[in-house]
Structures are given as structure tokens and as C-alpha cells.
Amino acid sequence: MADAATSNTTASTSPLYVVAVAAIIVRADKVLAMRRSQHKDASAGLWETLSGRVDAGEEPFETIKREIIEECGLVTNVDPRPVTSYSAMRADKPMIVIVYQADYVSGEVVRSDEHDDHAWVTPDEFVARSSLSKLAKAIYSVFEDII
């Protein structure tokens, strides 16, 4: 059995994960794609869906509702059951992404400074814009369920 000092050292050198959420916002046959601003610290210029990090003590479902309001201002109905989750890297840090589906209700997109462009796109158009293959797979799974 390992002693306490060894156990603590092992735990402290293990990578800590960033926990993030992403929203697949659906309007008819399209999803909201957002381009990360050029000033972002990670993946500037990348096309993604709305996303954000979960703050300490915050529940992922509350985070995604907050991020939707902060990053685009739309009124949506968010399904509390995640579509999927996957591992990824954020710069040099390992990350877990929890993906939710949100159905558009009303409003016009009002971008925060985190994104400099947006578009309502089909799943195929999203794939053509983005290198996020795991997120694209989640988008396709949402649209399979809608059809």
C-alpha cells in the first residue's frame, strides 16, 4: 500500500481537467455556429457552437443556460439531459465537454466579444467550417433524432 506522501504526490501531478459545456442550438434544420474572436486565448478563429467553462460550484446545466444568455442572448429551451460528452484539449490542458441540445424559441443573435461572427448552418455546413469532429458528430446525432 502506498504511503500518504506518495499518494498525495501522484494525485497532485495528475492532470486536472477543464470542464466545459457546449450548446447545439437548433432552429428548424439549422444549428447556430459561432466563430471564436481573434483575441481568444485558445483556438481563435475556430467555428464552434456556444460553449463555456463550468465555474467552481456551478452545475453544468446552469452553466449552459448562462452561457447561452451571455454569448448570444437567444431565448431557448435547453434539454437538461446531455446529448453526449467527450474529451478534448484546450490549449495544453485536458478538457471534458458536456454537450446539450437547446431549441430556439425567439430572439436575434447578439454576440458577446467572445465571437466575431455567427451563422445558422446545416450539419454538413458546420463540418465544412469546423475542425471539431467530436462536436460535429454530436450535431449529426441531434439531427438524426429530429428527422
Side-chain angles (χ1 to χ4, degrees), residues 1-19:
M1 183 169 179
D3 63 30
T6 303
S7 295
N8 287 341
T9 301
T10 302
S12 66
T13 59
S14 297
L16 296 177
Y17 281 78
V18 172
V19 179

Side-chain angles (χ1 to χ4, degrees), residues 92-107:
D92 62 344
K93 296 181 179 139
M95 178 172 63
I96 299 295
V97 181
I98 305 166
V99 183
Y100 291 90
Q101 178 181 341
D103 295 322
Y104 170 85
V105 174
S106 65

Side-chain angles (χ1 to χ4, degrees), residues 17-85:
Y17 281 78
V18 172
V19 179
V21 292
I24 299 172
I25 300 177
V26 176
R27 183 175 76 179
D29 62 344
K30 307 257 173 118
V31 62
L32 180 61
M34 306 287 284
R35 187 174 65 195
R36 292 176 67 86
S37 294
Q38 294 303 316
H39 68 82
K40 290 299 290 178
D41 59 341
S43 303
L46 178 72
W47 283 92
E48 62 175 356
T49 62
L50 289 174
S51 63
R53 287 176 272 181
V54 177
D55 292 335
E58 187 176 37
E59 294 296 326
F61 183 61
E62 297 306 315
T63 303
I64 199 58
K65 293 189 298 184
R66 174 179 56 78
E67 290 290 345
I68 290 169
I69 292 166
E70 289 176 0
E71 293 185 16
C72 75
L74 294 177
V75 177
T76 64
N77 284 329
V78 183
D79 188 334
R81 299 165 298 171
V83 171
T84 192
S85 61

